Amino acid sequence: MRKPANDCMVQGKLTRSSSIRWRLCNLESPILKQLADQCADREQLLEKTEGELTAKMEALNLLQTKHGKFQAELNRLQVEKEVLKKQLASGDSTIEKLERAKKELIVEREIRDSTIEKLEKAKGKLIDDMADTFAEGFKEALAQAACENPGIDTSNCNPFNHVVDGKVVPLDLGE
């Protein structure tokens, strides 16, 4: 025989009890008692799941907040990356220009070194020619002096001597 449900039945629906279990008041049927126990177990599972869900929602909110911060930082870093790429490209073009200028300067230096070498050779040749011309001119001058003055002794004459009062004397570099 069934006993009517008192406070536990409200408009045909079961309500939650303070002990987190569903209770059917004054029911003696084992099936109804088993059903009440199952409902209570489901209620505990539901509350546990709701607690876990609440914790996960809080964690999700925290992660979304962190994600927003990380996204802002990512955006800032991407902008900085683009700026650095432009600076790198500018630096690369500057390096290329400097390398071209360096190659041009190396070519100019090689040309200059070649010109200097040619001029040094020409200078050496001119010095040799001038020395030969001086020596030849000195010999000719001695021959002319001997021709005009047949008795003159030119044996002690050289380019480092000069004539003083009709006599050949060594050149004094202090004069």
Side-chain angles (χ1 to χ4, degrees):
M1 173 170 152
R2 257 187 183 183
K3 292 185 181 178
N6 53 12
D7 295 334
C8 292
M9 293 293 285
V10 178
Q11 297 177 359
K13 296 183 180 179
L14 295 174
T15 62
R16 292 184 188 181
S17 69
S18 62
S19 66
I20 312 173
R21 299 184 79 198
W22 291 93
R23 295 187 191 249
L24 296 172
C25 299
N26 301 319
L27 295 178
E28 295 179 5
S29 169
I31 294 173
L32 290 176
K33 197 169 202 172
Q34 185 181 10
L35 183 61
D37 288 342
Q38 286 177 354
C39 287
D41 291 342
R42 298 273 182 195
E43 179 63 26
Q44 283 180 335
L45 181 62
L46 179 63
E47 286 183 6
K48 180 181 173 186
T49 305
E50 284 177 347
E52 290 173 356
L53 182 61
T54 302
K56 287 182 181 182
M57 287 300 291
E58 289 172 2
L60 178 63
N61 287 339
L62 180 64
L63 288 174
Q64 286 176 337
T65 302
K66 287 182 179 180
H67 174 73
K69 291 177 184 176
F70 288 141
Q71 189 65 40
E73 180 67 11
L74 178 65
N75 291 340
R76 185 190 67 77
L77 290 174
Q78 285 175 338
V79 168
E80 186 176 335
K81 178 183 172 184
E82 291 302 317
V83 168
L84 290 173
K85 277 184 178 181
K86 289 177 183 176
Q87 289 175 348
L88 181 61
S90 173
D92 287 345
S93 67
T94 302
I95 288 172
E96 290 172 3
K97 289 176 186 176
L98 290 173
E99 285 176 351
R100 281 192 301 264
K102 178 183 172 184
K103 287 178 184 178
E104 291 172 4
L105 289 173
I106 288 172
V107 169
E108 288 177 19
R109 180 179 172 197
E110 289 173 355
I111 292 170
R112 225 182 349 250
D113 288 347
S114 173
T115 303
I116 289 172
E117 187 178 321
K118 288 176 186 176
L119 290 174
E120 288 290 331
K121 286 180 183 179
K123 178 182 170 184
K125 187 176 183 220
L126 287 174
I127 289 173
D128 289 344
D129 288 349
M130 190 170 70
D132 290 343
T133 303
F134 176 74
E136 188 66 33
F138 187 75
K139 286 180 189 177
E140 290 297 321
L142 285 179
Q144 184 179 2
C147 193
E148 288 181 10
N149 300 308
I152 193 167
D153 180 21
T154 60
S155 61
N156 63 352
C157 291
N158 63 44
F160 303 109
N161 294 335
H162 68 283
V163 178
V164 176
D165 294 327
K167 294 182 183 178
V168 177
V169 295
L171 183 62
D172 185 12
L173 295 177
E175 289 182 3

